[in-house]
Structure formats: C-alpha cells, structure tokens
Amino acid sequence: MSLKEALHWRSATKSYNGKVIEKEKIEQILEAIRLAPSSSGLQPFKVLVITNKELRGKLQPIAFQQPQIVEASHILVFAAWDEYTPERVDSFFEFSNKVRNLPSSATDDYRLNLLEMLDQKTKDQHFMNTSQQTYIALGFGLLATADLKIDATPLEGFDNKAVDDLLNLPEKGLKSSVMMALGYKDEENDWWGKLERVRRSNEDLFIELN
C-alpha cells in the first residue's frame, strides 16, 4: 500500500480477535517508535510492552474496562520521565557523543544551555513536555501499524495514577501518558471500523498563509 492507502485503511479498532502478532512485525513497530524524533533527541520516556494476560487483567479495570486491553495481542504503555534532571540530560549527551565518536566537550554549550532553560521550569512543566514527546512516538507507531496492516488503538482512557502504581512507574521516575493496543480486529464485532470515516475537509482544517 501507499502511505495514503495505509492511512485510509487504518481505524481505531474497538474489538480484537486475540491473534498474536508475528514477532518480526512487532519488532518493526517498536523500531518505528524508537526512531521517532523527540525534543533535543532525548527520548524522555520508556515504552512498556505488555503481553502478560494476568497483568492485563489487572490493567483493564483501571482503563475503564476497555476490552482492547485484554483482547489485543500487545499493549504498549508510553511512560514519560517525571522530570528532566541534570543526570538524565548529561547521561544522554555522554551516550550521544560516544556513539558519534565526539569528545565530551563537543556538546557542552548546547547541553548547558538546555539545562539552564530546564532549570527555569517546574517539575509539572517538565512532565508536560516529556509526555508530549510520547505522542510523537505514538504517531510513528500508528503509521507503522498501518503500513504493516496491523490493527491498533491509541488509548487515553485510564486512571494514570492507578496505572503508574500497578506498573511500579514512580520508582523508575516515570509517569504513564498514553497506551496503544496492537493486534488483529474482530471483524464481526469491531463496530467502529464499519462506520464511515469522518474527517474535516482540507478547507476547514488547513489555514494557508501565503
């Protein structure tokens, strides 16, 4: 499929048939997420890949009983850093310089300016920014699923604190931001996919400034 065809094909799946996604396809989806851009390249989040049925059974009640949680092949939980710290920022630039075979001083000006800017922000503002980065990665994941004809559902309907506690995220310095279900739709019961796609027209959505 072309990109346009893939985007027209996908929809937010409401019911899955339980079929497990092939390993190589999951790897491609995760690679798309890994390669997504992020602010300053920091990738200030982790992605929990959940297949364990018992854990997903505990997750469902705190996700408004959404059936996708237990029916899908995989659940991805995007968990953002709870804040930017000098240690986290310094660690990234140390890693980046090593990969690029650069001296540690090569990025000092940028790194120090970034730390100064972040120091002027509150912890809540830090998390607002880190959580925004997860949505970019989510978008790349959704594009990959469409390209591979894997059904997917972005999920925001859950109790963030309860999810954080269930997955022990606070001890990792993380907070949940968004989830994604992956799998193959139950064609008979996926009522949403049978509805006409509704999107605003180009004229209504885009404002051209020439």
Side-chain angles (χ1 to χ4, degrees):
M1 290 190 294
S2 68
L3 176 60
K4 182 178 180 180
E5 289 171 333
L7 292 175
H8 278 274
W9 173 85
R10 69 154 299 278
S11 65
T13 301
K14 302 300 183 183
S15 183
Y16 290 86
N17 63 15
K19 180 182 175 182
V20 177
I21 299 171
E22 297 85 345
K23 183 174 182 291
E24 61 272 16
K25 291 185 177 180
I26 281 292
E27 290 174 348
Q28 290 180 65
I29 294 166
L30 297 181
E31 181 69 354
I33 291 170
R34 189 181 74 88
L35 293 175
S38 62
S39 181
S40 296
L42 292 172
Q43 293 180 289
F45 56 85
K46 299 283 188 181
V47 182
L48 288 74
V49 183
I50 304 176
T51 56
N52 182 279
K53 293 186 182 298
E54 182 180 355
L55 179 56
R56 287 160 59 181
K58 295 177 181 179
L59 191 60
Q60 189 182 25
I62 53 179
F64 302 148
Q65 297 291 350
Q66 294 181 86
Q68 299 98 321
I69 299 294
V70 293
E71 292 176 352
S73 171
H74 291 66
I75 298 295
L76 306 185
V77 178
F78 292 78
W81 290 358
D82 56 0
E83 66 176 324
Y84 289 106
T85 65
E87 292 76 17
R88 282 171 157 169
V89 173
D90 289 347
S91 177
F92 167 77
F93 280 99
E94 180 181 350
F95 167 69
S96 176
N97 289 334
K98 182 177 180 180
V99 170
R100 292 171 171 169
N101 198 29
L102 295 172
S104 58
S105 60
T107 52
D108 276 354
D109 287 345
Y110 186 92
R111 178 180 60 83
L112 293 172
N113 285 335
L114 177 60
L115 287 171
E116 182 180 358
M117 180 189 70
L118 292 171
D119 190 50
Q120 298 171 25
K121 306 289 185 181
T122 66
K123 187 172 180 177
D124 285 344
Q125 288 173 319
H126 284 193
F127 177 67
M128 182 181 295
N129 179 269
T130 60
S131 63
Q132 288 170 341
Q133 309 309 306
T134 67
Y135 281 81
I136 300 172
L138 171 72
F140 270 59
L142 289 170
L143 281 172
T145 60
D147 184 59
L148 294 166
K149 298 202 84 170
I150 299 294
D151 295 295
T153 316
L155 302 168
E156 290 185 302
F158 57 91
D159 182 332
N160 293 73
K161 185 180 185 309
V163 168
D164 294 351
D165 291 341
L166 176 65
L167 301 177
N168 300 314
L169 297 183
E171 66 185 39
K172 301 178 178 68
L174 300 170
K175 297 170 70 175
S176 59
S177 58
V178 67
M179 298 185 196
M180 179 163 63
L182 304 169
Y184 294 97
K185 72 172 59 177
D186 180 340
E187 296 287 352
E188 183 177 348
N189 295 308
D190 183 46
W191 56 271
W192 185 260
K194 298 174 184 178
L195 300 177
E196 187 70 23
R197 174 73 60 92
V198 178
R199 291 294 186 272
R200 297 185 186 277
S201 67
N202 287 355
E203 293 74 20
D204 191 29
L205 184 62
F206 300 112
I207 300 174
E208 294 189 17
L209 305 176
N210 297 317

